Amino acid sequence: MRHLKKFMLLVMMGSLVIFTSCSKDDDGGSGGAAGSGTITAKIDGTQFTSLNQTSFAQLTSGGGQTTLALQGNTSSQVISITMNGYDGLGTYEISDDSVFIVASYVEPNTNDPLNSKIWSAPYQNSGVIGEIKISEETDTNIKGTFSFTGKNNDDGSTKAVTEGAFNLTKKTS
């Protein structure tokens, strides 16, 4: 059963159909220091910088709803953030009160995808567990910062994703 849950989460992340939040204020912050086309962060204090060719922002609108998906990959790590109800510049909380923002840190197991390690936020009884600040958006680019603490549902461990920043080419569909 655990493998089925992991598989379903991987499928959801891969298709970028993860529900997200619309809790927001108007302060989008400073934009962070990510280089063009990348996501940067510290994972429990260790530096993460995504590869330019595997990093993206996808803005999708339909049915009166807008979804923003951000993703950055290295050869062995993934950071993914999905915001359903995206409404432009501002600060969005990641909270168990609002399940419409989901952030994940993944260590994929390419030999056995069902044994990939996934830390996700929010999780039950997490309260406010992170935030995303969208500071700049143009027709082709989006910048901001983020932080969250993800929990692994298999072993209960947590990972702190801090000092996150993104500066991504934005695609619209």
Side-chain angles (χ1 to χ4, degrees):
M1 184 57 119
R2 283 189 356 206
H3 293 306
L4 179 60
K5 287 180 184 176
K6 282 184 182 179
F7 177 73
M8 291 306 298
L9 184 57
L10 286 172
V11 168
M12 287 173 36
M13 285 176 44
S15 64
L16 299 174
V17 181
I18 300 175
F19 293 116
T20 58
S21 175
C22 45
S23 174
K24 160 189 165 184
D25 78 29
D26 291 331
D27 177 23
S30 67
S36 180
T38 66
I39 294 178
T40 62
K42 289 191 177 177
I43 313 299
D44 281 346
T46 302
Q47 187 63 42
F48 168 97
T49 301
S50 68
L51 302 170
N52 186 293
Q53 62 271 29
T54 61
S55 302
F56 64 88
Q58 179 72 45
L59 192 63
T60 306
S61 295
Q65 188 84 343
T66 301
T67 300
L68 175 63
L70 310 169
Q71 185 168 315
N73 306 330
T74 69
S75 61
S76 60
Q77 302 166 297
V78 178
I79 290 179
S80 176
I81 299 169
T82 305
M83 304 165 59
N84 191 37
Y86 175 70
D87 191 26
L89 302 182
T91 300
Y92 299 80
E93 289 184 344
I94 302 170
S95 166
D96 64 352
D97 286 338
S98 181
V99 294
F100 299 110
I101 285 186
V102 173
S104 299
Y105 166 70
V106 181
E107 294 175 353
N109 182 334
T110 56
N111 294 322
D112 185 3
L114 295 178
N115 280 321
S116 295
K117 303 286 186 193
I118 303 166
W119 291 266
S120 297
Y123 48 87
Q124 187 174 5
N125 300 320
S126 63
V128 175
I129 199 72
E131 70 179 11
I132 298 125
K133 290 186 174 193
I134 308 296
S135 59
E136 185 178 325
E137 183 178 7
T138 67
D139 288 342
T140 59
N141 199 342
I142 189 161
K143 292 181 183 181
T145 61
F146 65 94
S147 65
F148 66 93
T149 299
K151 182 177 180 180
N152 182 297
N153 287 330
D154 290 336
D155 64 15
S157 66
T158 60
K159 293 271 186 186
V161 179
T162 59
E163 300 178 36
F166 52 90
N167 179 357
L168 299 171
T169 300
K170 182 178 74 173
K171 298 176 184 174
T172 305
S173 62

